[in-house]
Short mmCIF file of all heavy atoms in Angstrom, two decimals:
data_model
loop_
_atom_site.label_atom_id
_atom_site.label_comp_id
_atom_site.label_asym_id
_atom_site.label_seq_id
_atom_site.Cartn_x
_atom_site.Cartn_y
_atom_site.Cartn_z
N THR A 934 4.62 -7.15 3.71
CA THR A 934 3.67 -7.68 2.75
C THR A 934 3.51 -9.17 3.04
O THR A 934 4.38 -9.78 3.64
CB THR A 934 4.14 -7.39 1.30
OG1 THR A 934 3.15 -7.90 0.40
CG2 THR A 934 5.48 -8.00 0.98
N VAL A 979 1.45 0.46 1.86
CA VAL A 979 2.51 1.11 1.09
C VAL A 979 2.00 2.30 0.27
O VAL A 979 2.68 3.33 0.18
CB VAL A 979 3.26 0.07 0.22
CG1 VAL A 979 2.41 -0.42 -0.92
CG2 VAL A 979 4.59 0.57 -0.27
N SER A 1051 -6.43 5.23 -9.75
CA SER A 1051 -6.80 4.10 -8.89
C SER A 1051 -5.70 3.06 -8.90
O SER A 1051 -5.02 2.88 -9.90
CB SER A 1051 -8.10 3.50 -9.44
OG SER A 1051 -8.31 2.19 -8.95
N VAL A 1052 -5.57 2.36 -7.79
CA VAL A 1052 -4.54 1.31 -7.69
C VAL A 1052 -4.96 0.24 -6.69
O VAL A 1052 -5.84 0.45 -5.88
CB VAL A 1052 -3.18 1.90 -7.25
CG1 VAL A 1052 -3.19 2.32 -5.78
CG2 VAL A 1052 -2.04 0.93 -7.52
N GLY A 1053 -4.31 -0.89 -6.77
CA GLY A 1053 -4.41 -1.88 -5.70
C GLY A 1053 -5.08 -3.18 -6.09
O GLY A 1053 -4.81 -4.21 -5.51
N GLU A 1054 -5.99 -3.12 -7.04
CA GLU A 1054 -6.69 -4.33 -7.49
C GLU A 1054 -7.23 -3.99 -8.88
O GLU A 1054 -7.20 -2.84 -9.29
CB GLU A 1054 -7.82 -4.73 -6.54
CG GLU A 1054 -8.16 -3.71 -5.53
CD GLU A 1054 -9.54 -3.86 -4.91
OE1 GLU A 1054 -10.28 -4.78 -5.22
OE2 GLU A 1054 -9.86 -2.97 -4.14
N PRO A 1055 -7.73 -5.01 -9.57
CA PRO A 1055 -8.21 -4.72 -10.92
C PRO A 1055 -9.34 -3.70 -10.90
O PRO A 1055 -10.24 -3.78 -10.06
CB PRO A 1055 -8.74 -6.08 -11.40
CG PRO A 1055 -8.18 -7.09 -10.48
CD PRO A 1055 -7.86 -6.41 -9.20
N LEU A 1056 -9.28 -2.75 -11.79
CA LEU A 1056 -10.32 -1.73 -11.89
C LEU A 1056 -11.17 -2.06 -13.11
O LEU A 1056 -10.69 -2.01 -14.25
CB LEU A 1056 -9.70 -0.34 -12.03
CG LEU A 1056 -10.70 0.81 -12.06
CD1 LEU A 1056 -11.40 0.95 -10.71
CD2 LEU A 1056 -10.01 2.13 -12.41
N ASP A 1074 -6.18 3.87 -14.13
CA ASP A 1074 -5.69 2.73 -13.34
C ASP A 1074 -4.17 2.69 -13.41
O ASP A 1074 -3.59 2.97 -14.47
CB ASP A 1074 -6.28 1.44 -13.94
CG ASP A 1074 -5.96 0.21 -13.11
OD1 ASP A 1074 -5.63 0.35 -11.92
OD2 ASP A 1074 -6.07 -0.92 -13.66
N ASN A 1075 -3.54 2.36 -12.29
CA ASN A 1075 -2.10 2.05 -12.38
C ASN A 1075 -1.77 0.86 -11.50
O ASN A 1075 -2.56 0.44 -10.66
CB ASN A 1075 -1.22 3.28 -12.12
CG ASN A 1075 -1.46 3.92 -10.78
OD1 ASN A 1075 -1.46 3.25 -9.75
ND2 ASN A 1075 -1.67 5.23 -10.79
N TRP A 1076 -0.62 0.32 -11.75
CA TRP A 1076 -0.23 -0.95 -11.11
C TRP A 1076 1.13 -0.82 -10.43
O TRP A 1076 2.06 -0.26 -11.00
CB TRP A 1076 -0.14 -2.07 -12.18
CG TRP A 1076 0.32 -3.38 -11.61
CD1 TRP A 1076 -0.46 -4.43 -11.24
CD2 TRP A 1076 1.68 -3.79 -11.34
NE1 TRP A 1076 0.31 -5.46 -10.74
CE2 TRP A 1076 1.63 -5.09 -10.79
CE3 TRP A 1076 2.93 -3.18 -11.49
CZ2 TRP A 1076 2.78 -5.79 -10.41
CZ3 TRP A 1076 4.08 -3.88 -11.10
CH2 TRP A 1076 3.98 -5.18 -10.57
N TRP A 1077 1.22 -1.35 -9.24
CA TRP A 1077 2.52 -1.54 -8.58
C TRP A 1077 2.34 -2.42 -7.36
O TRP A 1077 1.23 -2.88 -7.09
CB TRP A 1077 3.19 -0.22 -8.24
CG TRP A 1077 2.46 0.73 -7.34
CD1 TRP A 1077 1.33 1.44 -7.64
CD2 TRP A 1077 2.80 1.10 -6.00
NE1 TRP A 1077 0.96 2.22 -6.58
CE2 TRP A 1077 1.84 2.03 -5.56
CE3 TRP A 1077 3.82 0.75 -5.13
CZ2 TRP A 1077 1.88 2.61 -4.28
CZ3 TRP A 1077 3.86 1.32 -3.87
CH2 TRP A 1077 2.89 2.24 -3.46
N GLN A 1078 3.42 -2.67 -6.65
CA GLN A 1078 3.40 -3.58 -5.49
C GLN A 1078 4.26 -3.00 -4.38
O GLN A 1078 5.12 -2.16 -4.64
CB GLN A 1078 4.07 -4.90 -5.84
CG GLN A 1078 3.53 -5.67 -6.98
CD GLN A 1078 4.36 -6.94 -7.21
OE1 GLN A 1078 5.58 -6.88 -7.29
NE2 GLN A 1078 3.69 -8.07 -7.31
N THR A 1079 4.10 -3.56 -3.20
CA THR A 1079 4.97 -3.19 -2.08
C THR A 1079 6.44 -3.27 -2.51
O THR A 1079 7.24 -2.38 -2.21
CB THR A 1079 4.73 -4.16 -0.91
OG1 THR A 1079 3.35 -4.11 -0.57
CG2 THR A 1079 5.57 -3.81 0.30
N GLU A 1080 6.78 -4.32 -3.21
CA GLU A 1080 8.18 -4.56 -3.59
C GLU A 1080 8.71 -3.53 -4.58
O GLU A 1080 9.90 -3.26 -4.60
CB GLU A 1080 8.32 -5.96 -4.21
CG GLU A 1080 8.23 -7.11 -3.23
CD GLU A 1080 6.79 -7.55 -2.93
OE1 GLU A 1080 5.85 -6.81 -3.28
OE2 GLU A 1080 6.63 -8.61 -2.32
N MET A 1099 -4.23 -1.61 -17.37
CA MET A 1099 -3.38 -0.96 -16.35
C MET A 1099 -2.47 0.09 -16.98
O MET A 1099 -1.70 0.74 -16.29
CB MET A 1099 -2.53 -2.00 -15.63
CG MET A 1099 -3.34 -3.10 -15.00
SD MET A 1099 -2.35 -4.23 -14.01
CE MET A 1099 -1.49 -5.19 -15.27
N THR A 1162 7.00 -10.62 -10.76
CA THR A 1162 6.01 -9.98 -9.89
C THR A 1162 5.01 -10.94 -9.25
O THR A 1162 4.27 -10.55 -8.36
CB THR A 1162 5.19 -8.96 -10.69
OG1 THR A 1162 4.44 -9.69 -11.68
CG2 THR A 1162 6.07 -7.93 -11.37
N ASP A 1164 2.41 -11.78 -10.67
CA ASP A 1164 1.12 -11.43 -11.27
C ASP A 1164 1.09 -11.93 -12.70
O ASP A 1164 2.10 -11.83 -13.41
CB ASP A 1164 0.93 -9.90 -11.32
CG ASP A 1164 0.34 -9.35 -10.03
OD1 ASP A 1164 0.08 -10.14 -9.10
OD2 ASP A 1164 0.15 -8.13 -9.97
N PHE A 1176 -4.37 -6.88 -16.63
CA PHE A 1176 -4.19 -7.78 -15.48
C PHE A 1176 -4.99 -9.06 -15.70
O PHE A 1176 -6.13 -9.02 -16.13
CB PHE A 1176 -4.69 -7.07 -14.21
CG PHE A 1176 -4.49 -7.85 -12.95
CD1 PHE A 1176 -3.23 -7.95 -12.37
CD2 PHE A 1176 -5.56 -8.48 -12.33
CE1 PHE A 1176 -3.04 -8.66 -11.19
CE2 PHE A 1176 -5.38 -9.19 -11.15
CZ PHE A 1176 -4.11 -9.28 -10.59
N ARG A 1179 -3.41 -13.35 -10.00
CA ARG A 1179 -2.16 -13.60 -9.28
C ARG A 1179 -1.71 -15.01 -9.57
O ARG A 1179 -2.53 -15.91 -9.76
CB ARG A 1179 -2.37 -13.41 -7.78
CG ARG A 1179 -2.52 -11.96 -7.45
CD ARG A 1179 -1.90 -11.56 -6.15
NE ARG A 1179 -0.61 -12.08 -5.85
CZ ARG A 1179 0.51 -11.34 -5.74
NH1 ARG A 1179 0.49 -10.06 -5.96
NH2 ARG A 1179 1.64 -11.90 -5.40
N LYS A 1185 -6.56 -10.56 -2.32
CA LYS A 1185 -6.64 -9.10 -2.32
C LYS A 1185 -8.04 -8.69 -1.88
O LYS A 1185 -9.00 -8.83 -2.65
CB LYS A 1185 -6.39 -8.62 -3.74
CG LYS A 1185 -5.39 -7.51 -4.07
CD LYS A 1185 -4.74 -6.76 -3.17
CE LYS A 1185 -3.65 -5.97 -2.82
NZ LYS A 1185 -3.19 -4.92 -3.59
N GLY A 1188 -8.37 -4.11 -1.34
CA GLY A 1188 -7.04 -3.54 -1.62
C GLY A 1188 -5.94 -4.06 -0.70
O GLY A 1188 -4.79 -3.72 -0.88
N LEU A 1190 -3.50 -6.90 0.71
CA LEU A 1190 -2.96 -8.20 0.34
C LEU A 1190 -2.90 -9.06 1.60
O LEU A 1190 -2.27 -8.70 2.58
CB LEU A 1190 -1.57 -8.00 -0.25
CG LEU A 1190 -1.04 -9.10 -1.15
CD1 LEU A 1190 -1.96 -9.36 -2.32
CD2 LEU A 1190 0.34 -8.72 -1.67
P1 AMP B 1350 0.53 -4.74 -2.46
O1 AMP B 1350 1.92 -5.21 -2.43
O2 AMP B 1350 -0.24 -4.99 -1.21
O3 AMP B 1350 0.45 -3.32 -2.90
O4 AMP B 1350 -0.24 -5.60 -3.56
C1 AMP B 1350 0.26 -5.68 -4.86
C2 AMP B 1350 -0.65 -6.51 -5.70
O5 AMP B 1350 -1.92 -5.87 -5.86
C3 AMP B 1350 -0.15 -6.70 -7.11
O6 AMP B 1350 0.81 -7.71 -7.20
C4 AMP B 1350 -1.45 -7.07 -7.82
O7 AMP B 1350 -1.79 -8.41 -7.61
C5 AMP B 1350 -2.46 -6.16 -7.13
N1 AMP B 1350 -2.62 -4.91 -7.89
C6 AMP B 1350 -2.06 -3.71 -7.66
N2 AMP B 1350 -2.47 -2.80 -8.57
C7 AMP B 1350 -3.29 -3.44 -9.41
C8 AMP B 1350 -4.03 -3.06 -10.58
N3 AMP B 1350 -4.01 -1.82 -11.04
N4 AMP B 1350 -4.74 -4.02 -11.21
C9 AMP B 1350 -4.78 -5.29 -10.74
N5 AMP B 1350 -4.12 -5.71 -9.65
C10 AMP B 1350 -3.39 -4.80 -8.98
#
Side-chain angles (χ1 to χ4, degrees):
T934 182
V979 71
S1051 162
V1052 72
E1054 12 160 2
L1056 184 66
D1074 186 19
N1075 58 51
W1076 177 97
W1077 59 290
Q1078 302 178 310
T1079 303
E1080 286 84 347
M1099 304 185 286
T1162 65
D1164 273 0
F1176 184 76
R1179 288 216 43 114
K1185 229 354 154 51
L1190 202 57

